[in-house]
Amino acid sequence: MASHPTRASRSRYEKQSTCDPVPVQRRICERMLPMVNPAAWVIDDVSLPEDGRMSVAVVPQYCGAVGKRANCQVSVSVHAATDIASCPLQWWQFQPKECDADTDSRAATCIPHPTGGHTPREVAAGSGHAR
């Protein structure tokens, strides 16, 4: 399956960047929270179909983009939201339970913590340690 250039670029940046996203996320929170004044927190998980064995955290799981189980990655984000605005404040690549034992891949792709079998939304709800 060919990747869309924008998605491939974002995915490559997330996996290969030496930049720590936490300071960026912190600064976004500092600037945007007063502007958005959130009425709600939204946890969103987006599945992206992937093909190939070199992609991190790819396992057969439900993939909304294709409407069935398929090899895919899941990105999770937490948004501050009102009825007229929304801003992603934290985001990261979800690591499926099947990938927890692969410490070499987790280290190479900067996914520091195993998820312990939690769903993406459970991980987001306790996102103090999440990337």
Side-chain angles (χ1 to χ4, degrees):
M1 167 181 276
S3 293
H4 184 279
T6 304
R7 189 177 89 201
S9 299
R10 179 193 60 83
S11 182
R12 198 169 25 260
Y13 172 77
E14 288 175 354
K15 294 172 194 164
Q16 297 175 358
S17 175
T18 57
C19 174
D20 181 2
V22 174
V24 175
Q25 293 170 341
R26 184 174 297 123
R27 184 70 178 133
I28 290 171
C29 288
E30 290 169 355
R31 293 196 68 187
M32 296 306 295
L33 279 176
M35 295 168 78
V36 174
N37 194 18
W41 299 100
V42 177
I43 298 171
D44 189 24
D45 56 337
V46 177
S47 53
L48 305 169
E50 286 288 336
D51 191 19
R53 296 181 350 184
M54 298 306 291
S55 297
V56 65
V58 174
V59 296
Q61 55 192 322
Y62 180 77
C63 183
V66 295
K68 63 181 182 177
R69 282 180 64 84
N71 285 339
C72 68
Q73 293 173 319
V74 176
S75 294
V76 182
S77 57
V78 177
H79 302 249
T82 69
D83 57 349
I84 60 170
S86 174
C87 179
L89 301 177
Q90 197 170 50
W91 56 90
W92 63 95
Q93 182 81 40
F94 175 69
Q95 183 79 7
K97 180 181 178 182
E98 296 88 341
C99 300
D100 277 353
D102 190 353
T103 56
D104 292 338
S105 290
R106 279 203 340 266
T109 56
C110 301
I111 299 176
H113 303 286
T115 62
H118 298 291
T119 67
R121 292 182 181 185
E122 290 169 338
V123 172
S127 63
H129 69 273
R131 287 185 46 115

